[in-house]
Amino acid sequence: MHAIAVDRTGPKAFILAPDGEFSAFEPEHDQIWTLDLDPPDASPFHLHTTYHLRVNSMRVFSNLLMGHRRLIKPDDFSLPPTVTAYAPSAIEIEYAFNHQVAVRFTGFIPEPDLLVGSLCIKNTFSQPIALIVEMAAILIPLGQGNPIHPDTIDHNHVLSGKTEELFPILFTSGGPTGTSNPYPALHVPVTLAPNEVENIQWVLASKTSQTSSFEAARNWTAQDWHKDLQAYKKSHQKKMVFIKTGQPDWDTAFYLAQINARSHLVNFHQTTPCTAFSRKRLTNPLKAAPGIKKERPDLTLLEALHLSQVLLPSHIDYLLKLAEGFIACIDDQGCLCSHNRRDITTTAINDSPLLANLCLMLYEICPDAAFLKQAFPHLRRFFDIGWLKNKKPEPANLPTWDTPEQLQLDFGLFNFEVWEEAGSGLDIRTALSPALAAMLLREASAMKQIAHILGERSARSWYAQWIKIIQEALNSLWVDANHHFSYQDYQTHHTPQREIYDFGQIQSPLKIDKPFSQPQRLQISFKTREKYPKKTSVRLEGVDSHGEMITELIQPPALHWINQRAHITTQKIFSALNVVYFEGFNPDDHFLIKTADYSQPDISCLLPVWSGGIRKEHLASISKSLIDGETLSCAFGIPESWHFNHPLPDGLSMPVNVQWNTLVLDGLAREGYAEEAMTLFTNLMTPIIRGLKAFNGFYPRFDNLTGLPIGAANTIAGLVPVGLFLKIAGIKLMSPERVAVWGENPFPWPVEVCW
């Protein structure tokens, strides 16, 4: 493991988990440990787990006692506990007391239900020293169980406990004695001459019976597991990219991100490796993860692209397996079902069109034409059938999103949100999306390039035609007056201004008698204070764009209630609205009727800069708006949305999304706007470093005003995009023997890279 030096004041995201490269994944035994370098209790640091929510808390820590006093005060340390080496399954912490005793604490997970380690204690003083080495554990069970306590098994003093089906046992070498005051611990008395070293081995086994835990703990204490640790360190070292900048905190963050990404790796079989990545392995139990059971990646393609920013090129083999997992899950209709957070429909929802882009990126690092040849028919099915519905390349409407969940944004899509109170509930299926057009263009370009590599001339010509059509459609979404790309109504191809905004208590009929300056789609939101109305319907009468009278009836399931709210969007376009009839509502229910608003921007409207197909003047305008701060503030990165024509909903927090910032900044760097990308990346690193220092993890989102983290810690979507940083600096790694360097480094200090 490469030497680092991180104490409690530095960036921290130290997690120990069974490494999927070396041990089989067992969901029922997958034990994740976190390191706390600044605990509130009487220990310099501790390792903590919940055994994936089987216990309230389980902590393991060590102390030294000299003269009947524990050395735990800050003044006791001549070197505070400092992480000096770290890998997904191993950690080393060094510290020293009063320039007299130096300690190295090692922790290692060789198997899913074992935590082994050692305490190496050296007398650095000029006189002999007598002390007591203490290994302690505190278990707080959930429900039935026994807190860990001193016990004797076969004449061996151990700490033993029980929670649910687990029987944790802590075992140490050196002939310890047990104590319960002030907490359960094993004590080993040690006397050291000057420069003498003592090694205490310890094992915490947490198996499903006391006997099996004890036997495992005793056996591992006796065997030389350090050889396994050394082999593990060597293997890990080969796949780490070490970066040195003028910001030591950044260097640590880049290092931690790579290890954190590796910690999401799981392996289903010990003998025949079958690897996958889990989105929330470090935060949630995986007992019932459906994607894991099917051995398919528990990620979306958007998350896979973000993961590639951290793990490529050093872990190309795992990313190839990840891509193969996606390809294997494409059905006959070209659908690659994604794992959405809150999808209430049973209809299969296709993942974002990013798979060919991912495969081409992998090919550029590992030029294996056989991989592309095997993947190409599946990629065609995903793109041609799943997204383009087998259409011919001729001017026509591009597809639309089926659900806001496909974009993996949070509050930024409030205009289309139906779950949250601040959501407007506009049907996203009626909106042409700049982000989807950008993804389709980038995907078509990747498909054309793959066809060229494989010598598929007809396919290359086919995708060349699609590139032209999609590029024209994408550029048509630019609104000169707004200086950005915008959503458009998929039928009218307009982003009309709001012409009606009426609200009040339900009354039927509701006379409107409002002609519109241009054809409009209508939107109605409802709110009830009582039980949901059962048989509700809404009928709108008005005039269409040809001057003909039209009527639209909306009833369940198109009208459904969520959290005492309901939203409907008309399928027909109205040039005038005359009257609205409400049936089945409660007398005190309230309504809000308005013309559909497609003008509200969000960060996905910036994705055309990543597409490689927009006009230079549009690119320059977007770049200027991101830097000058007049349109939106990017102090902590680009927010998910911002104030435009209408005020944002009251109390709506607008986060900065790490995953989407990465895509937009990648596009800027790709188009030659390295200075602008550098400025925005530096802004984004401010809350990321703060999250690591103050909140011990990588977070997917941050509050745009305060920079405070939002969401679960240590998910893939929150990792620092290491590859993006290198791209902005003008560096692209291909292999240990291949590197591309271009332009000038826009950062204010040199960048050193070692792999």
Side-chain angles (χ1 to χ4, degrees):
M1 293 183 286
H2 187 71
I4 58 174
V6 183
D7 61 18
R8 65 185 182 87
T9 65
K12 301 173 291 294
F14 295 108
I15 299 167
L16 295 182
D19 194 323
E21 186 174 357
F22 296 94
S23 61
F25 175 64
E26 301 175 20
E28 65 277 12
H29 299 304
D30 194 41
Q31 297 171 10
I32 309 298
W33 293 83
T34 59
L35 171 67
D36 188 345
L37 283 171
D38 192 19
D41 51 15
S43 62
F45 62 88
H46 66 230
L47 292 170
H48 173 266
T49 188
T50 63
Y51 291 123
H52 268 323
L53 305 183
R54 292 189 182 97
V55 299
N56 188 301
S57 175
M58 174 64 171
R59 289 178 290 160
V60 176
F61 54 93
S62 66
N63 276 324
L64 293 186
L65 287 78
M66 294 181 66
H68 304 290
R69 187 175 76 85
R70 286 180 174 82
L71 303 177
I72 57 175
K73 295 181 180 180
D75 292 343
D76 292 331
F77 293 93
S78 50
L79 173 67
T82 302
V83 177
T84 55
Y86 176 48
S89 290
I91 195 164
E92 290 181 1
I93 304 166
E94 296 184 7
Y95 47 107
F97 297 100
N98 300 326
H99 301 284
Q100 298 178 357
V101 180
V103 183
R104 184 174 68 249
F105 176 98
T106 301
F108 177 44
I109 300 180
E111 295 180 3
D113 47 14
L114 282 171
L115 179 62
V116 307
S118 65
L119 279 162
C120 179
I121 303 140
K122 181 179 181 180
N123 179 2
T124 59
F125 194 48
S126 59
Q127 301 294 325
I129 291 178
L131 49 83
I132 293 176
V133 180
E134 178 179 80
M135 275 301 300
I138 300 176
L139 169 66
I140 303 176
L142 278 176
Q144 293 184 346
N146 300 316
I148 206 161
H149 58 278
D151 200 354
T152 303
I153 303 177
D154 291 348
H155 306 291
N156 294 278
H157 291 276
V158 299
L159 297 185
S160 173
K162 179 182 182 299
T163 179
E164 291 192 6
E165 74 278 15
L166 296 180
F167 292 79
I169 285 185
L170 180 63
F171 192 105
T172 72
S173 64
T177 57
T179 181
S180 298
N181 186 17
Y183 40 70
L186 298 175
H187 284 180
V188 179
V190 173
T191 300
L192 297 175
N195 294 318
E196 187 177 359
V197 176
E198 178 75 19
N199 281 288
I200 306 295
Q201 311 297 313
W202 60 269
V203 176
L204 177 69
S206 304
K207 295 182 177 291
T208 54
S209 73
Q210 187 183 71
T211 300
S212 58
S213 291
F214 174 74
E215 290 300 325
R218 181 168 61 178
N219 291 339
W220 275 88
T221 303
Q223 73 183 57
D224 187 7
W225 52 265
H226 290 273
K227 290 183 178 180
D228 297 331
L229 177 59
Q230 291 302 320
Y232 177 65
K233 287 181 180 181
K234 187 175 181 180
S235 174
H236 167 77
Q237 185 88 2
K238 290 179 179 179
K239 293 190 175 182
M240 286 294 295
V241 175
F242 302 106
I243 300 173
K244 183 179 180 181
T245 70
Q247 292 278 4
D249 288 344
W250 288 28
D251 306 347
T252 302
F254 296 149
Y255 185 89
L256 293 177
Q258 295 175 71
I259 298 175
N260 196 296
R262 270 286 309 280
S263 297
H264 288 82
L265 176 71
V266 293
N267 181 10
F268 294 99
H269 303 293
Q270 184 71 56
T271 54
T272 306
C274 181
T275 56
F277 287 88
S278 166
R279 174 191 295 136
K280 294 183 179 180
R281 183 192 184 195
L282 306 186
T283 56
N284 287 343
L286 294 178
K287 289 182 178 179
I292 295 295
K293 291 295 183 182
K294 294 191 299 182
E295 297 185 1
R296 75 149 282 189
D298 183 38
L299 305 178
T300 64
L301 283 167
L302 202 55
E303 289 167 327
L305 273 188
H306 194 73
L307 186 66
S308 71
Q309 289 277 0
V310 186
L311 291 183
L312 287 181
S314 57
H315 293 82
I316 180 67
D317 47 348
Y318 295 132
L319 271 298
L320 284 167
K321 291 182 183 296
L322 182 62
E324 290 168 357
F326 283 118
I327 290 167
C329 291
I330 301 171
D331 64 21
D332 293 339
Q333 287 72 46
C335 183
L336 174 59
C337 294
S338 62
H339 294 285
N340 291 325
R341 285 184 300 136
R342 305 177 299 193
D343 188 19
I344 62 172
T345 175
T346 56
T347 305
I349 302 299
N350 212 357
D351 208 338
S352 301
L354 297 167
L355 187 52
N357 182 63
L358 176 62
C359 290
L360 184 61
M361 185 191 310
L362 299 176
Y363 173 81
E364 289 173 351
I365 296 170
C366 180
D368 179 8
F371 164 69
L372 288 184
K373 186 174 183 179
Q374 184 177 5
F376 194 52
H378 305 279
L379 296 175
R380 297 201 68 172
R381 192 164 68 251
F382 178 57
F383 188 70
D384 297 358
I385 302 176
W387 275 106
L388 299 181
K389 309 302 180 185
N390 259 342
K391 293 180 181 178
K392 294 181 180 180
E394 55 189 23
N397 271 346
L398 294 180
T400 63
W401 296 113
D402 292 306
T403 169
E405 300 295 332
Q406 290 169 288
L407 281 159
Q408 288 183 248
L409 286 169
D410 199 40
F411 303 112
L413 291 178
F414 69 89
N415 202 32
F416 304 103
E417 176 65 59
V418 298
W419 292 86
E420 303 295 339
E421 186 173 358
S424 298
L426 179 61
D427 189 345
I428 201 169
R429 293 172 296 181
T430 67
L432 293 172
S433 163
L436 183 52
M439 290 181 185
L440 290 170
L441 179 56
R442 185 82 178 253
E443 194 78 347
S445 300
M447 292 294 287
K448 177 188 173 185
Q449 194 166 346
I450 293 172
H452 174 72
I453 293 168
L454 298 178
E456 299 274 356
R457 297 181 63 182
S458 62
R460 182 186 176 192
S461 174
W462 173 270
Y463 291 114
Q465 296 176 64
W466 268 116
I467 289 171
K468 182 178 179 181
I469 290 169
I470 298 172
Q471 188 171 3
E472 291 176 356
L474 171 61
N475 282 294
S476 72
L477 297 178
W478 178 263
V479 181
D480 282 325
N482 300 342
H483 303 291
H484 63 237
F485 289 91
S486 180
Y487 294 98
Q488 288 182 0
D489 187 295
Y490 84 108
Q491 284 181 275
T492 67
H493 291 262
H494 291 304
T495 307
Q497 296 294 316
R498 177 184 291 171
E499 295 196 55
I500 186 174
Y501 192 88
D502 195 6
F503 58 91
Q505 195 166 319
I506 290 287
Q507 52 178 302
S508 186
L510 176 66
K511 292 186 178 180
I512 303 294
D513 293 329
K514 170 71 175 178
F516 304 132
S517 62
Q518 57 181 311
Q520 298 266 17
R521 194 179 301 276
L522 298 169
Q523 193 183 349
I524 309 179
S525 300
F526 302 96
K527 188 173 183 179
T528 182
R529 296 181 181 177
E530 301 179 4
K531 294 182 179 179
Y532 302 152
K534 293 184 179 179
K535 296 181 179 179
T536 52
S537 65
V538 179
R539 189 171 82 253
L540 301 94
E541 295 181 356
V543 180
D544 68 11
S545 58
H546 302 290
E548 302 291 333
M549 297 296 297
I550 56 170
T551 298
E552 181 167 351
L553 177 65
I554 302 174
Q555 54 193 0
L559 199 164
H560 61 269
W561 295 84
I562 299 173
N563 299 331
Q564 297 181 299
R565 295 181 301 276
H567 304 277
I568 59 175
T569 304
T570 63
Q571 296 302 304
K572 295 182 179 180
I573 303 296
F574 290 77
S575 290
L577 178 62
N578 298 333
V579 63
V580 182
Y581 297 91
F582 304 103
E583 293 188 9
F585 290 86
N586 296 321
D588 60 349
D589 291 347
H590 286 73
F591 74 92
L592 166 63
I593 185 169
K594 58 184 178 180
T595 50
D597 180 15
Y598 296 96
S599 66
Q600 177 60 44
D602 58 65
I603 192 172
S604 76
C605 295
L606 303 175
L607 195 63
V609 305
W610 179 81
S611 69
I614 66 173
R615 297 174 185 141
K616 291 182 178 180
E617 60 269 25
H618 296 166
L619 189 62
S621 179
I622 291 174
S623 174
K624 181 177 182 297
S625 69
L626 292 174
I627 298 299
D628 63 20
E630 294 180 5
T631 307
L632 70 160
S633 171
C634 299
F636 298 118
I638 307 169
E640 286 192 354
S641 189
W642 50 92
H643 174 272
F644 187 58
N645 281 338
H646 310 294
L648 296 177
D650 292 339
L652 184 65
S653 173
M654 197 50 63
V656 171
N657 187 300
V658 174
Q659 196 167 242
W660 273 91
N661 268 260
T662 299
L663 287 172
V664 175
L665 269 58
D666 185 86
L668 288 174
R670 187 169 180 256
E671 294 291 345
Y673 286 82
E675 289 282 349
E676 292 79 359
M678 178 273 294
T679 299
L680 292 168
F681 185 87
T682 301
N683 293 352
L684 180 63
M685 286 298 290
T686 299
I688 289 176
I689 295 299
R690 182 181 180 185
L692 289 167
K693 284 188 169 186
F695 301 97
N696 298 343
F698 292 99
Y699 291 84
R701 298 178 301 281
F702 298 91
D703 186 273
N704 183 44
L705 299 178
T706 66
L708 292 174
I710 301 172
N714 299 312
T715 56
I716 287 172
L719 297 175
V720 175
V722 181
L724 171 61
F725 167 76
L726 294 175
K727 178 180 285 188
I728 295 172
I731 302 168
K732 183 173 183 179
L733 300 178
M734 302 289 191
S735 74
E737 295 81 30
R738 295 168 58 218
V739 61
V741 181
W742 64 89
E744 294 184 1
N745 170 24
F747 291 99
W749 18 252
V751 175
E752 297 180 18
V753 182
C754 177
W755 175 23

